Structures are given as C-alpha cells and as structure tokens.
Amino acid sequence: MEISNNSEDQQAMASRKYIHWQDEGVEKIPPNEAEDIQAVADMINTIQKAQYNMHRHCYSGTHARTQGIVKGMLIIEDDLPKHLKQSMFAHAGQYPVVCRYSSEPGDPGLDDRIPQPRGFAMKVFNVPGEMFDPTKTAQDIEFNSTPALDLADAKTTREIVDLRIKYGNNQPELYKRLEARPDTDLQKFRDSVRNTHLESTRQYSQTAYRFGDYVAKYCLVPNSETQRKLYEETVKPDAHPSDILHQWLKNFHEAHDAEYLLQFQLCENLHDQPVEYAGKVWDPEKYPWQTVARLVVPKQDSFNYELKTFWEDHMRVDPWLGLKTMQPLGSPNRLRRVVYPASSKLRRIMNGRKEINVTSMDQIP
C-alpha cells in the first residue's frame, strides 16, 4: 500500500502514533554481538582475498559487480506533511546524486543469468545537517532488491557467511545445511528472486534507520511508464548473454529519462516492525509507504569506464558517514559500522589505491 500526499491521506497518516527513534526497545544489543561482528569482518576479508586470487583485483565483499553508474537529482518538494518533514527532507531542495546499480554477491564476474538480489547505492551531495564525520558531507543511501535481509542480524550473518565460504561452490551441500535452519525459506529466497530489468526493479533499505524524530525503512520505486513496462522483461538463460543486465541498463539510459519515488515506511509497532532483526518484512498494508522525494535521472551513458573505475577503486559508500538524523539502526547496521571500513581498507591496500573523500559531483569523472 502506498499513500499519496493529498490532504485526506496526509491527515490520516499524520494522526498515527509513530515510534520515536530513542524509545525504549528500538535497539537491544545482544551479548557477544561484538565478537560476531568482528568474525564477519574477518570472513568478508577472506572472501575479498579469494576474489583477488581469481581476478588479481580486490573488490568489495558484497555488491562487487557494477552494472551501471548514473548521475541525477534528488528533488524534495515543499508540500510534505509535518510528520514527513524530517532530517534532510525537512525543507524543499534539489540535491545532485550519483547512483550505482550492482549485483549483490561478492563475485564481480557473476553471470547476470543467475538469479540473485540486485543493489542500488546513492550518494547525495550538498545535504545540510550534522554529519557523523564532519569531513564527510554527502549522505549515502543503500538499497537491495529484496525487502527482507537474509543476513538479518550479526549472529545470523556470522553463521550464513561461514556456510557460504565453506559450501558456496556446492549448492546441494549448502542447501542441506540451510534446510536444517528455522529460517531456511529466508536463506534460500535469494536464489529464486525474479531476474528482471534493473530499471524496473523496486529497491529496499531492508534495515531500519533514524528518520529525524522517528524510525523508518525506505524504498525506491520506478515511476515512469517506460520503467514499469520493463518489469515484464525477464532474463532467459538460454537466450541472453552473461552481461544482459548491464546491456539492458545501458540501452535504457541512452534512450530514456528515468524517475523514481523515494518512499519511507514509518515504524509504529516494534513487534510487527522489528529493528534488531531485518529478516521480517514490515507489512505495507498495515504500515504504508509514503513518498518524500523524487530521483530524476536524465539520458546518459550508464557505463562510463573511467567513472566505474573511480567508484570501485576510490569511493566509499557508507551511511554511517552520513547525517546523524539518518542514523543506521539495529544489529545489521551496527555490523556494517565495522565491516564496511574493514572491507574498504583491504581494497585500498591490495589494489594500491587511496580512498578519496568525495564531497562534490565535480570530483567525479
């Protein structure tokens, strides 16, 4: 369910009782979480080293395959209701953005014909407000094409990444162990996702974030008729090449403008909408998505080789370097606060590259 910003809908949604981000129970850190997180950081580095041995280049531990990178504008209108005027959305504005489409696994050579979750990352420039790191002035926003996160908390992540390292090349053995788990459906879902055109794919934050005074998840919804029609275009393994998603994306952006709606789903019930466990979808019928901004992407070349290399070798996307009023919440995000810097550090060392603090679109090829 999605709510428009007409006055009747706004009044109904404004009257609902939303969880404050500092309310009791929003975050509960379990025992031994720090140990689990460090173990995951070490395992992600192990995955990166294994990929380096194959490609002689070090990539991120997840979302290693770049499908395309585009530039656009995030537009916030002045007609938002009061409960949505939060954080960077408190005032109307237009902010330059650079966005990367990706495939989620850590293998940069992953065949597009293999169904897997897809990712989308957005770096938003010139955003006003207090940052976690005052030297980082961009807001990073991350998405994944599945609404629930299989790596639902630090303990689960440690268990699943360990299984993938041991049995990732032997699916029958991996499935035997996944089927012994209570969350087997969640863990196996990634292998059966709908493999469709990236431009038609809805993207989700999966985890919860502070949203000004409140707690929310967010999503990105393709909004042009051209994008929506592409949803029926699915990958056919016997008819398409191994880089079909990249080809489709490049062909689309050369011929069409794109538009997405950025929507937030506010937390009202911590039992129905857990923050610590990201493996549960927040019911959109009970807790509707509400639009806060539009992402507009004009026609362009979505696969500039220089920009791709710059992003992969020098840029870092990390919402923990963003606004304090957009603070990542819950176990998976506390994990990211350790794993992301560790992954980035190893990449720079192994590739002989330096991280560049990108604060302006002018720094990007």
Side-chain angles (χ1 to χ4, degrees):
M1 182 177 180
E2 294 164 8
I3 295 296
S4 71
N5 286 346
N6 65 47
S7 58
E8 185 176 338
D9 282 341
Q10 287 178 16
Q11 187 174 2
M13 297 307 295
S15 65
R16 297 171 76 147
K17 184 173 176 57
Y18 299 115
I19 299 291
H20 191 278
W21 76 279
Q22 289 183 308
D23 281 353
E24 184 178 356
V26 170
E27 289 192 288
K28 296 179 182 178
I29 301 177
N32 304 317
E33 184 183 74
E35 179 184 328
D36 289 335
I37 288 174
Q38 186 56 53
V40 172
D42 294 340
M43 286 190 284
I44 292 297
N45 281 169
T46 297
I47 292 171
Q48 290 176 281
K49 291 173 183 176
Q51 290 298 328
Y52 181 87
N53 285 338
M54 293 174 61
H55 304 285
R56 282 297 182 259
H57 193 84
C58 188
Y59 294 86
S60 57
T62 59
H63 297 276
R65 185 176 177 88
T66 298
Q67 301 289 3
I69 300 176
V70 294
K71 299 175 182 178
M73 192 71 68
L74 187 68
I75 301 171
I76 303 166
E77 306 291 356
D78 201 29
D79 61 350
L80 293 178
K82 184 178 180 180
H83 69 285
L84 296 182
K85 284 182 174 287
Q86 303 292 325
S87 185
M88 59 180 284
F89 307 97
H91 304 285
Q94 297 190 17
Y95 303 103
V97 298
V98 59
C99 311
R100 174 179 180 255
Y101 298 86
S102 64
S103 288
E104 189 222 76
D107 179 4
L110 182 73
D111 192 316
D112 287 351
R113 295 168 296 190
I114 299 173
Q116 284 289 284
R118 312 301 176 185
F120 189 91
M122 182 162 60
K123 189 175 280 288
V124 189
F125 297 106
N126 306 334
V127 175
E130 185 180 2
M131 299 284 178
F132 280 103
D133 181 343
T135 69
K136 313 290 187 183
T137 58
Q139 176 63 47
D140 294 347
I141 306 178
E142 297 181 314
F143 303 85
N144 190 288
S145 61
T146 59
L149 178 59
D150 47 1
L151 306 178
D153 54 29
K155 180 176 181 294
T156 302
T157 304
R158 182 177 184 176
E159 295 168 351
I160 295 301
V161 174
D162 182 56
L163 288 176
R164 290 179 187 170
I165 289 174
K166 290 177 178 175
Y167 308 108
N169 294 323
N170 187 339
Q171 192 175 69
E173 284 297 317
L174 177 61
Y175 269 34
K176 184 186 300 183
R177 285 155 178 83
L178 294 181
E179 286 164 0
R181 295 177 56 89
D183 63 349
T184 180
D185 290 342
L186 176 66
Q187 298 305 331
K188 290 165 63 176
F189 179 70
R190 65 185 294 111
D191 296 325
S192 59
V193 294
R194 197 169 185 276
N195 202 5
T196 190
H197 200 299
L198 292 177
E199 203 57 43
S200 70
T201 302
R202 183 176 294 210
Q203 299 279 352
Y204 302 88
S205 70
Q206 299 182 312
T207 57
Y209 290 79
R210 179 182 173 187
F211 178 54
D213 292 337
Y214 305 122
V215 176
K217 290 185 178 182
Y218 48 77
C219 75
L220 201 64
V221 182
N223 194 46
S224 74
E225 187 61 28
T226 308
Q227 289 165 274
R228 288 192 290 265
K229 285 180 178 178
L230 291 174
Y231 185 73
E232 301 307 319
E233 193 164 6
T234 57
V235 175
K236 298 176 177 60
D238 57 347
H240 290 134
S242 63
D243 64 342
I244 185 61
L245 294 180
H246 150 71
Q247 290 186 24
W248 277 350
L249 198 65
K250 184 175 175 63
N251 291 341
F252 175 88
H253 280 292
E254 285 177 348
H256 303 282
D257 297 335
E259 180 177 285
Y260 296 88
L261 300 180
L262 179 60
Q263 299 183 333
F264 280 71
Q265 184 184 33
L266 275 65
C267 185
E268 302 177 53
N269 182 314
L270 287 171
H271 176 73
D272 281 355
Q273 301 170 281
V275 170
E276 288 295 333
Y277 183 77
K280 182 177 181 179
V281 176
W282 293 3
D283 185 348
E285 293 300 320
K286 292 176 68 175
Y287 311 106
W289 291 103
Q290 304 178 66
T291 299
V292 299
R294 290 182 299 121
L295 171 62
V296 176
V297 179
K299 297 176 190 177
Q300 60 193 276
D301 178 4
S302 67
F303 210 80
N304 177 308
Y305 289 97
E306 185 180 5
L307 176 52
K308 173 187 177 293
T309 300
F310 182 85
W311 183 298
E312 292 178 348
D313 282 358
H314 300 291
M315 285 177 62
R316 177 174 163 200
V317 173
D318 186 343
W320 277 106
L321 300 177
L323 290 164
K324 290 187 175 182
T325 53
M326 292 278 285
Q327 177 180 327
L329 300 172
S331 182
N333 281 320
R334 291 193 296 272
L335 182 147
R336 288 167 173 162
R337 196 170 195 176
V338 175
V339 170
Y340 281 16
S343 169
S344 178
K345 181 179 179 180
L346 182 65
R347 288 204 310 281
R348 314 309 169 193
I349 291 172
M350 297 187 77
N351 292 332
R353 299 288 186 268
K354 294 187 182 301
E355 181 178 317
I356 295 175
N357 178 19
V358 180
T359 60
S360 166
M361 193 75 85
D362 295 337
Q363 295 171 260
I364 297 174

